[in-house]
Amino acid sequence: MSKAFTKESDADDEEPLSQPQLPAGAKNYMTPRGYALLKAEFDHLLKVERPQMVETVSWAASNGDRSENGDYIYGKKRLREIDRRLRYLTKRLDDPIVVDPVTQQGLEQVFFGATVTVGEEDGSEHAYQIVGMDEADPAAGRISWVSPLARALVKARAGDVVRLQSPSGLREIDVLEVRYLVDSIPPALAGNE
């Protein structure tokens, strides 16, 4: 039987394990920037990439034998990937709680959206912004609100010492500064809201 008539496995349609999952019962907090990024990705996939790929697959299918047609095989695979990502983004954008860091109350304490400057035991300083799960980028100093570091910092104030259990053992971190900055939306996305 030709591959063209075989059913792809259901495993192909499952969410990849690398996608961040919200803890059970947790709300989907996002910054305005994070929401704009996810919305822009959703719109691009739905309005640009998917229609182009459908057109490519349709053209490839019209060329005849699909079992050895690379454009058709790749196109179908890419369509599944796009549809999987669209389902994921639809879930994430379905009921988000967009929290603008500037409007937070209790600005002297660490809450969602805060940018916290901390001093490590070795004397180094690092700044972290507490953001939603989908916008976390530790290399850029954006940590998820469900990360152990963010959970340890929540409700801390400048001058507090926070203890954190890390893989290397117990760490003590000095909270040096708590700020709530305007969460800038990249200029390319500013008009897409």
Side-chain angles (χ1 to χ4, degrees):
M1 176 183 261
S2 168
K3 283 190 208 177
F5 296 105
T6 60
K7 181 179 185 301
E8 287 105 14
S9 70
D10 289 335
D12 288 342
D13 291 334
E14 293 177 7
E15 294 296 328
L17 296 176
S18 63
Q19 299 290 349
Q21 299 298 318
L22 287 170
K27 296 185 178 177
N28 187 16
Y29 294 106
M30 292 183 194
T31 63
R33 179 184 187 279
Y35 180 82
L37 288 170
L38 288 183
K39 182 78 170 106
E41 181 184 1
F42 179 85
D43 290 342
H44 179 75
L45 287 172
L46 187 66
K47 296 175 183 174
V48 178
E49 277 196 55
R50 192 172 196 292
Q52 287 174 349
M53 198 51 58
V54 167
E55 186 177 316
T56 300
V57 169
S58 177
W59 167 81
S62 70
N63 287 336
D65 184 15
R66 297 176 186 174
S67 65
E68 295 180 14
N69 185 332
D71 289 327
Y72 179 80
I73 293 168
Y74 169 76
K76 291 291 283 185
K77 180 180 179 195
R78 181 66 185 133
L79 271 176
R80 285 192 305 273
E81 291 169 357
I82 290 170
D83 288 343
R84 185 179 313 121
R85 184 67 180 165
L86 284 170
R87 281 192 306 276
Y88 175 80
L89 291 171
T90 298
K91 288 179 193 174
R92 288 299 220 225
L93 294 170
D94 189 32
D95 194 21
I97 298 174
V98 179
V99 179
D100 191 345
V102 178
T103 63
Q104 284 285 47
Q105 302 293 316
L107 299 179
E108 68 282 348
Q109 284 186 292
V110 177
F111 292 108
F112 183 87
T115 299
V116 186
T117 304
V118 298
E120 301 283 346
E121 293 172 333
D122 65 2
S124 63
E125 292 184 8
H126 302 281
Y128 301 103
Q129 182 183 17
I130 300 174
V131 297
M133 291 179 64
D134 295 302
E135 51 192 312
D137 181 4
R142 300 170 85 77
I143 60 173
S144 168
W145 67 274
V146 296
S147 69
L149 177 57
R151 287 180 180 252
L153 290 171
V154 167
K155 295 189 181 178
R157 300 170 190 267
D160 287 354
V161 175
V162 174
R163 292 177 185 219
L164 168 69
Q165 186 64 41
S166 71
S168 61
L170 187 63
R171 292 171 46 196
E172 286 191 356
I173 301 170
D174 294 320
V175 178
L176 303 175
E177 183 182 17
V178 178
R179 301 174 306 209
Y180 288 86
L181 306 172
V182 173
D183 194 22
S184 63
I185 298 171
L189 301 177
N192 292 343
E193 290 187 284

